[in-house]
């Protein structure tokens, strides 16, 4: 219920007649759709975690680098 209320508040703030607001409204709508659907949310969370682990080296790799130094 809180999610829907927050979404509706933001929709009332960002109106589609303003180009910048229309872009923001599009992002808000996409986020609401993902958060509101369990299957989409799990897929998003999984992709986010995979991207996060690719960006930072694993602790094992850091330990190996420390040993080599």
């Amino acid at each position: 219920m809180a999610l829907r209320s927050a979404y509706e508040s933001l929709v009332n703030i960002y109106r589609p007649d303003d180009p910048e607001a229309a872009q923001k409204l599009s992002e808000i709508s996409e986020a609401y759709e993902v958060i509101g659907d369990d299957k989409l949310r799990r897929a998003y969370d999984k992709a986010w975690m995979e991207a996060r682990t690719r960006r930072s080296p694993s602790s094992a790799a850091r330990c190996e680098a420390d040993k080599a130094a």
Side-chain angles (χ1 to χ4, degrees):
M1 190 63 156
L3 177 62
R4 183 176 178 88
S5 177
Y7 172 74
E8 289 174 354
S9 295
L10 290 172
V11 167
N12 288 328
I13 294 171
Y14 297 101
R15 306 310 282 166
D17 54 337
D18 176 16
E20 290 179 20
Q23 174 63 32
K24 188 70 169 177
L25 184 59
S26 175
E27 293 170 4
I28 291 166
S29 295
E30 182 180 345
Y32 178 73
E33 181 181 334
V34 169
I35 291 171
D37 184 315
D38 287 338
K39 188 183 257 186
L40 286 175
R41 188 175 189 171
R42 280 193 299 270
Y44 179 87
D45 289 345
K46 181 181 178 187
W48 182 81
M49 287 300 292
E50 288 173 356
R52 185 173 175 208
T53 51
R54 278 187 299 232
R55 281 193 313 236
S56 64
S58 70
S59 59
R62 280 181 267 161
C63 288
E64 291 300 319
D66 289 341
K67 288 179 187 174

